[in-house]
Amino acid sequence: MNNGTDPYERKVQLTGGTTYTISLPKGWANDRSLDTGDTLNLYPRGGRLLLARPETEERRQTVSISAARHDPAGIERLVAAAYVAGADVVRVEGSPERAERAAVRDAVAGLVGIEIAEETAEAVIARTMLDVADLPPSRTLERMADRTLTMHEEAVAAALAGDGEAGDRVREQDDDVDRLFGLLSREFQRSIVEIPAVADGLTPFDHYAVARQLERVADHAEKIAEIAEAIGEPPADPVAADLDRLATDARSVVDRAFSETVGDCDPRTLGTIVADTDDLIAEIRRVDRTLYERDLADGYVLATVLDSITRTAEYGINVAEVGLRATLRNGPDGTVG
């Protein structure tokens, strides 16, 4: 007896000399509300075939939020959480007041591919307008990587110049990275319960894992940008040159790891990136000791910059490891050429 989770074995049969057919167990079909004439989609996934219902308007996921039970800050968080969880429609119901309506608009403004579709006295309805085919995850990741590395470069320049205004401009860019990360988080969440689109050798989880590392790099760029206001005067040229060189090398780690992971995903190249980064981290620690020995006036804040540079390099290693895992998973019999 099948317990509902074990696979059914069915034979492919030839009907009428031109069509292959596979029968479905009647009880299994009834349990899933399938009937004669229903349409099903077949998706090739490696050595498997996945069977799923076609997407319809009726099957769009809707999340309802009560305006009476949550304050505006809570509503804003819930709208964003519903989006990341994969909701297609978010309804804030219960005659929301002006503050609650503003919270919905603020949440939507911080997300990609969703907008206010309807606003009445009883509810505010936000609806996603996303077509994944028009915005593949690889393109989203490329935009995210470009923005993140630009932020990091500008943040280090602001810190070394002690330019607080430039630092503020860098910090404002973090919202763009967060929006792109939210989009990739959403696609990962949806892939858990839906049939994901064919990817470029990376799974939705791989895309999410890479995006998570990029988001962390952006967070440290924001942290470095904040330090710009705390630096009393620009560090001496030798110190500034060391910090700038190490920051450039750390960004190079992220850039190389990202390009290889979403590109050829060659294990030898990825392994070289990891080994090179270990050497870079050792060099950062040497410079950190030098800063301590010099007893600089801004030594503490500069050491904080060095710590963020170290984290950036480590996140680059994490991106490379995503590529290495993908290579092992996708290689024949789990082997690496």
Side-chain angles (χ1 to χ4, degrees), residues 39 52 61 71 89 113-114 125 129 159 163-164 197 216 263 288-289 299:
T39 298
Q61 181 183 353
D71 61 16
V89 179
I114 183 171
I125 302 172
M129 306 296 177
D163 189 340
R216 287 172 172 170
D288 189 35
R289 289 193 299 271

Side-chain angles (χ1 to χ4, degrees), residues 254-282:
V254 177
D255 189 28
R256 290 168 59 204
F258 174 80
S259 297
E260 192 62 35
T261 294
V262 301
D264 294 336
C265 216
D266 177 67
R268 294 183 181 85
T269 302
L270 291 167
T272 299
I273 292 170
V274 173
D276 290 346
T277 307
D278 289 339
D279 294 338
L280 172 60
I281 291 174

Side-chain angles (χ1 to χ4, degrees), residues 198-219:
V198 176
D200 46 13
L202 301 179
T203 67
F205 177 73
D206 293 331
H207 293 139
Y208 168 81
V210 171
R212 186 72 181 94
Q213 303 311 308
L214 294 175
E215 193 260 349
R216 287 172 172 170
V217 172
D219 285 345

Side-chain angles (χ1 to χ4, degrees), residues 44-223:
R45 288 297 181 271
R48 299 181 179 183
L49 283 176
L50 303 182
L51 186 70
R53 296 176 183 272
E55 183 70 25
T56 63
E57 184 65 26
E58 290 74 19
R59 296 183 63 231
R60 288 171 65 87
Q61 181 183 353
T62 299
V63 171
S64 296
I65 300 169
S66 171
R69 297 181 59 184
H70 303 281
D71 61 16
I75 289 174
E76 185 172 350
R77 285 193 298 270
L78 287 170
V79 171
Y83 167 89
V84 171
D88 299 295
V89 179
V90 183
R91 299 175 56 92
V92 178
E93 303 174 325
S95 302
E97 300 291 338
R98 178 180 299 177
E100 286 82 11
R101 294 173 184 274
V104 178
R105 288 191 286 271
D106 288 344
V108 167
L111 303 169
V112 175
I114 183 171
E115 60 184 43
I116 304 296
E118 186 177 349
E119 191 166 352
T120 68
E122 292 76 27
V124 179
I125 302 172
R127 185 182 298 269
T128 59
M129 306 296 177
L130 282 172
D131 185 343
V132 177
D134 293 337
L135 193 60
S138 57
R139 190 182 308 166
T140 304
L141 277 175
E142 288 170 1
R143 290 173 56 189
M144 192 174 180
D146 180 69
R147 173 61 65 188
T148 296
L149 294 174
T150 298
M151 276 183 65
H152 194 279
E153 182 177 3
E154 293 176 354
V156 171
L160 296 182
D163 189 340
E165 291 185 2
D168 288 342
R169 290 194 294 271
V170 172
R171 292 163 58 188
E172 292 171 358
Q173 300 175 43
D174 190 54
D175 290 342
D176 295 336
V177 175
D178 288 343
R179 277 192 286 269
L180 296 172
F181 178 62
L183 174 60
L184 288 165
S185 299
R186 169 187 170 84
E187 294 309 315
F188 166 56
Q189 293 286 339
R190 287 172 67 93
S191 75
I192 297 174
V193 295
E194 296 182 4
I195 305 298
V198 176
D200 46 13
L202 301 179
T203 67
F205 177 73
D206 293 331
H207 293 139
Y208 168 81
V210 171
R212 186 72 181 94
Q213 303 311 308
L214 294 175
E215 193 260 349
R216 287 172 172 170
V217 172
D219 285 345
H220 275 277
E222 185 179 20
K223 182 177 180 180

